[in-house]
Amino acid sequence: MLPKKVQELLKKQHYVIVGNHSAIQICKWTKESIRDRDVCYKQQFYGIESHRCCQMSPAVVWCHHRCIFCWRAIEYTLGNKIEGKIDEPSEIIDKCIEAQRKQLIGFQGNKKVNWKKLQEAFRPKHFAISLAGEPTIYPKISELISELKKRKITSFLVTNGMLPEVLAKIEPPTQLYVSVDAPNEKIYKMVDRPVSGCWENLIKTLKLLPKLKEKTRTALRLTLIKNINMCQAKEYANLIKMAKPKFVEVKAYMAIGFSRKRLGLSFMPTHSEIKNFAKEISKYCNYKIIDEKENSRVVLMMRKDTKDRFIKL
């Protein structure tokens, strides 16, 4: 299903293609955790074990957007509908875990590895459904989440919010993220560059989130690019008040992958700039900084800290 050129590009970025339309990539923080060097901010913020996380997507090159900060080769996006054979959720999960093991097997010869963590890493307990593309384009996304639940595997699903009708009926993941990359429609069109979908769909999704709070933990992720969308703090605050999420992550754009050709290092905010902008947002809504991870240039905002932000695994 994936054209040869696209497969070659993904493999160069250390993606492992799974079936017809899915892929995994071993996260930097998985490798760091196995070596006992550091962990992902999601472990610090929510208790997700970095070494047991499988970073994947069931729609790796399908998306409504061509975001300027995306690390993927957006020129090779295949549209917003997966054509051809649709893989079954259980098959995707099995193959993702198998691919994860094969990618990590080489660490067995590394003397600096935490052996216990490595053995646990071969058996992922968390799926980050967010690697690339838009996961909700996969027509069996609910069944995928249900299958993960059956296997006692937690899931964080990240969406661009272009399919509110899917999110209204979706099997609740452990945590549902909505990417909010702009404070208003004008900047949204400049940053996310929608090919299909629109600002109105994002607003529908944000208005839907309060209704989903009974079913899942909700989060907004603000990816900020210096001198482009790191502005209009009050308008971001208005979107936060509309969505009423449990969590808000304010995170710096990172110059990695193909995004370096579109942007680059000069567009990466420092951690102090991210923190100051989050403080500016907090002036206009009742969310405040709860936690931060400086080397990831990210802060966590909540109305108030709660013990249940740490997931029981």
Side-chain angles (χ1 to χ4, degrees), residues 37-307:
R37 290 179 178 173
D38 202 353
V39 295
C40 172
Y41 75 86
K42 294 188 213 54
Q43 178 164 332
Q44 179 176 317
F45 290 178
Y46 312 117
I48 293 300
E49 294 178 305
S50 301
H51 67 288
R52 302 198 75 177
C53 177
C54 179
Q55 180 184 230
M56 60 79 67
S57 172
V60 68
V61 287
W62 288 266
C63 194
H64 309 87
H65 293 157
R66 308 292 184 271
C67 300
I68 59 175
F69 60 84
C70 184
W71 57 67
R72 188 170 50 80
I74 55 177
E75 299 78 13
Y76 294 93
T77 303
L78 298 182
N80 63 359
K81 184 178 181 181
I82 302 173
E83 303 288 351
K85 182 181 181 297
I86 301 297
D87 296 332
E88 291 299 318
S90 58
E91 179 184 3
I92 292 173
I93 295 168
D94 288 342
K95 289 184 175 179
C96 281
I97 293 173
E98 181 184 357
Q100 180 102 337
R101 288 170 177 165
K102 287 181 178 178
Q103 289 295 99
L104 292 172
I105 202 75
F107 279 90
Q108 290 188 139
N110 189 326
K111 294 181 179 179
K112 296 181 180 179
V113 158
N114 179 320
W115 187 257
K116 181 176 181 292
K117 278 188 174 182
L118 179 60
Q119 298 308 304
E120 290 178 339
F122 292 147
R123 304 184 303 278
K125 292 295 291 180
H126 177 73
F127 267 47
I129 311 173
S130 60
L131 173 61
E134 171 49 43
T136 60
I137 287 174
Y138 172 53
K140 297 187 177 184
I141 187 65
S142 278
E143 292 93 328
L144 179 70
I145 294 168
S146 292
E147 182 63 25
L148 289 170
K149 286 183 177 179
K150 288 178 185 176
R151 302 185 188 205
K152 298 187 178 349
I153 297 175
T154 54
S155 59
F156 279 14
L157 174 68
V158 181
T159 177
N160 59 23
M162 291 298 103
L163 295 174
E165 67 278 9
V166 172
L167 296 175
K169 300 176 182 178
I170 200 168
E171 175 71 22
T174 309
Q175 189 157 304
L176 175 64
Y177 279 88
V178 177
S179 297
V180 178
D181 308 320
N184 55 51
E185 185 174 10
K186 180 180 178 181
I187 297 175
Y188 160 78
K189 288 180 177 179
M190 179 173 61
V191 172
D192 286 356
R193 300 192 297 183
V195 176
S196 59
C198 58
W199 177 254
E200 285 75 18
N201 285 351
L202 177 61
I203 296 301
K204 286 179 182 177
T205 291
L206 296 182
K207 289 181 177 179
L208 173 67
L209 287 191
K211 300 174 185 176
L212 299 179
K213 286 172 66 177
E214 298 292 321
K215 301 177 181 178
T216 183
R217 297 150 54 103
T218 57
L220 299 189
R221 177 182 290 164
L222 282 53
T223 300
L224 300 180
I225 311 166
K226 195 171 182 177
N227 299 324
I228 294 183
N229 68 346
M230 197 170 174
C231 59
Q232 307 297 333
K234 187 175 182 180
E235 291 188 55
Y236 276 117
N238 288 339
L239 297 176
I240 292 168
K241 287 189 286 187
M242 181 189 299
K244 298 180 175 64
K246 185 175 182 68
F247 308 110
V248 177
E249 293 177 5
V250 184
K251 193 175 188 315
Y253 153 70
M254 305 300 277
I256 56 176
F258 285 90
S259 76
R260 289 175 291 185
K261 296 181 179 180
R262 303 176 217 113
L263 296 169
L265 295 173
S266 63
F267 288 92
M268 288 173 53
T270 64
H271 181 68
S272 60
E273 287 170 335
I274 287 293
K275 194 171 179 179
N276 288 337
F277 192 74
K279 289 178 179 177
E280 188 67 20
I281 291 173
S282 71
K283 293 178 182 179
Y284 304 104
C285 62
N286 59 346
Y287 286 73
K288 61 183 180 180
I289 295 174
I290 297 296
D291 207 344
E292 61 183 295
K293 195 165 192 300
E294 186 171 353
N295 61 351
S296 293
R297 306 188 192 195
V298 61
V299 301
L300 175 67
M301 301 179 74
M302 297 176 68
R303 291 188 185 90
K304 64 178 181 178
D305 201 357
T306 56
K307 290 181 180 179

